[in-house]
Amino acid sequence: MNMPDIKPIYLDHAATTPLESQVFEVMKPHFSDNYGNPSSIYTLAQLAREAVDVARDQVSDVLNCKPTEIVFTSGGTESDNAAVKGTAIALKNVGNHVITTSIEHHAVLHSCQQLEQMGFNVTYLPVDEFGRVSITDIENALTSETILVSIIMVNNEIGTIQQISDISKLIKIKASLYNTTILFHTDAVQAVGYLDLDVQRLGVDLLSLSAHKFYGPKGVGCLYIKRGTPFEPQLAGGGQERERRSGTLNVPGIVGLGSAIELAEERREQAVRHCSNLRDKLIEGLLKDVPGTKLNGHSIERVANNVNVSFEGVDGEPILLGLDFAGILGSSGSACSSASLEPSHVLLAIGLNAQEARGSLRLTLGLHNTEQEVQKTLDVLSDLVKKLREMSYTAGVH
């Protein structure tokens, strides 16, 4: 399928981001000239190994951890799966209880469901109307059998930010009280370039990232595993990544991830300032110009680039089609579930009914969006929602 000649207005950065040209330039030699397998010992292979080591240093600098605590993966889904199942299985002789929330990414939720099939007990904590998990609920759920808590840092659909460092402090207190090991994992896939990812400050034992969410390549991610964390590898084979994740390393992808995360951290303040300004204009305009608009997620404790709204009496699918026709690209939920007609589990969890959830629209901004693009989006949406409501009313009358 050929893209239209007119450049579209891309407002789906939570689904994926364009690969930055300077990141691609750093990757290029490792597709062709520096093609060695970093596990081999000859010079060509060592060039690849050195490139991987540079990327590992770049990631560890942003996370404020040791390079050896970084494990490269195929992306956020693998990182989440490895974190949840790898630690739970490693600690099965310590306890069998896992805690998570009802609004996690499916990579975590489905991993927890697999653990339940293995005999683990999983508590799925509710969230409030803004998508925040209660510290009190976590405290009440923790027991002497708890071995893992997994809570998403920034929700991928509604953008709500959880208080990860406060949750970590509570978990440490409870673990000490019970004289046991309780690990803490966070999915930080949507946080890079917007929030501080210092794992010492956050107090997490495991943290998942995916490069294509921060202007890096698809098909590569990483998992921070704090030194000494019990972990059972989920991929067996050649013993790469200090035997924590077997498989030949994706050198170009890893190089791209390292470059992209370094760049994202360098321009984090700029990104927050730019995107939050556009986000607020978009939210304010929708609430003012489109009657029956409801903001989903927290108005303040929200990542800088996320707008998620529901339009009363209108389904999300025709809105997306209308926007696409106007050259505006958005989403009706998480990218992984946008092909499904089922209402978003996140929106249902914060109290929306099925019809409201189906009428949701997620617009996520990036560094290259402009105020003119936001204004055009507002103009198109205002007219589009009005027309769709008129069509719905007419169909209902006849």
Side-chain angles (χ1 to χ4, degrees):
M1 181 184 294
N2 294 324
M3 290 292 289
D5 294 333
I6 300 174
K7 182 182 177 182
I9 297 175
Y10 186 72
L11 298 175
D12 203 16
H13 290 81
T16 195
T17 57
L19 179 65
E20 284 285 15
S21 58
Q22 65 194 88
V23 173
F24 185 41
E25 287 301 318
V26 176
M27 295 171 63
K28 277 183 181 178
H30 302 284
F31 286 110
S32 52
D33 298 335
N34 300 341
Y35 55 83
N37 185 328
S39 297
S40 298
I41 63 172
Y42 40 76
T43 303
L44 186 64
Q46 291 311 300
L47 290 174
R49 166 61 63 183
E50 288 170 8
V52 169
D53 289 343
V54 168
R56 208 183 300 275
D57 288 340
Q58 289 170 316
V59 177
S60 63
D61 284 347
V62 173
L63 300 191
N64 188 25
C65 67
K66 298 178 177 67
T68 53
E69 294 175 314
I70 300 300
V71 175
F72 291 114
T73 68
S74 63
T77 294
E78 184 190 337
S79 293
D80 282 347
N81 272 258
V84 172
K85 290 181 284 190
T87 54
I89 292 170
L91 287 170
K92 62 184 177 182
N93 293 327
V94 175
N96 72 338
H97 181 227
V98 175
I99 298 172
T100 190
T101 78
S102 56
I103 63 166
E104 298 298 308
H105 190 278
H106 280 120
V108 167
L109 291 178
H110 291 170
S111 292
C112 287
Q113 289 163 12
Q114 287 183 316
L115 287 179
E116 287 181 294
Q117 294 170 4
M118 299 176 195
F120 289 87
N121 295 320
V122 180
T123 298
Y124 299 91
L125 294 174
V127 293
D128 65 16
E129 62 184 306
F130 304 114
R132 298 174 301 185
V133 65
S134 162
I135 298 283
T136 301
D137 284 351
I138 297 172
E139 183 174 13
N140 292 337
L142 288 164
T143 74
S144 59
E145 288 294 306
T146 306
I147 51 175
L148 174 68
V149 179
S150 181
I151 295 177
I152 196 166
M153 186 181 296
V154 175
N155 185 266
N156 52 300
E157 293 193 37
I158 58 175
T160 297
I161 301 169
Q162 305 292 351
Q163 303 304 311
I164 298 300
S165 59
D166 291 342
I167 295 170
S168 169
K169 291 171 186 172
L170 169 65
I171 292 170
K172 285 180 171 62
I173 291 171
K174 282 288 189 175
S176 177
L177 181 66
Y178 292 131
N179 192 28
T180 189
T181 298
I182 305 177
L183 301 177
F184 186 24
H185 164 250
T186 189
D187 176 337
V189 165
Q190 297 289 344
V192 182
Y194 299 106
L195 299 179
D196 179 10
L197 296 179
D198 184 332
V199 293
Q200 311 304 324
R201 184 188 64 80
L202 293 171
V204 295
D205 301 292
L206 305 105
L207 182 145
S208 302
L209 298 177
S210 185
H212 76 104
K213 304 295 189 177
F214 47 92
Y215 304 91
K218 295 176 180 63
V220 62
C222 65
L223 175 63
Y224 159 73
I225 307 177
K226 184 178 179 180
R227 184 178 179 182
T229 297
F231 182 77
E232 182 69 26
Q234 296 302 290
L235 289 180
Q240 289 88 346
E241 293 298 89
R242 292 175 175 259
E243 300 190 351
R244 295 168 299 186
R245 196 272 188 185
S246 292
T248 302
L249 295 178
N250 172 10
V251 178
I254 289 168
V255 167
L257 185 154
S259 176
I261 198 170
E262 183 177 69
L263 181 61
E265 183 64 14
E266 286 175 0
R267 60 189 188 184
R268 177 157 58 96
E269 289 186 12
Q270 173 195 350
V272 170
R273 188 167 55 248
H274 176 76
C275 291
S276 60
N277 176 55
L278 297 182
R279 175 201 65 189
D280 294 346
K281 287 182 183 297
L282 195 49
I283 292 173
E284 182 182 347
L286 288 172
L287 294 177
K288 179 170 71 75
D289 298 338
V290 186
T293 299
K294 179 184 185 300
L295 178 66
N296 300 317
H298 202 280
S299 59
I300 298 172
E301 295 169 21
R302 182 186 204 94
V303 75
N305 73 330
N306 178 288
V307 176
N308 190 307
V309 292
S310 291
F311 300 106
E312 183 181 349
V314 184
D315 282 345
E317 187 174 1
I319 294 175
L320 284 181
L321 292 173
L323 286 175
D324 188 30
F325 186 77
I328 302 168
L329 312 181
S331 171
S332 60
S334 67
C336 302
S337 63
S338 59
S340 171
L341 295 177
E342 290 297 312
S344 156
H345 71 285
V346 174
L347 297 179
L348 294 178
I350 63 173
L352 274 66
N353 61 41
Q355 181 59 46
E356 290 171 327
R358 289 193 184 97
S360 70
L361 174 68
R362 183 187 70 177
L363 301 174
T364 42
L365 299 142
L367 273 164
H368 306 303
N369 289 125
T370 65
E371 291 193 10
Q372 290 78 12
E373 290 178 333
V374 167
Q375 188 57 54
K376 180 180 177 181
T377 301
L378 286 170
D379 294 340
V380 170
L381 269 174
S382 179
D383 185 52
L384 178 61
V385 172
K386 182 180 178 182
K387 286 181 178 178
L388 288 172
R389 283 174 175 160
E390 288 173 352
M391 290 169 60
S392 177
Y393 176 77
T394 303
V397 169
H398 296 291

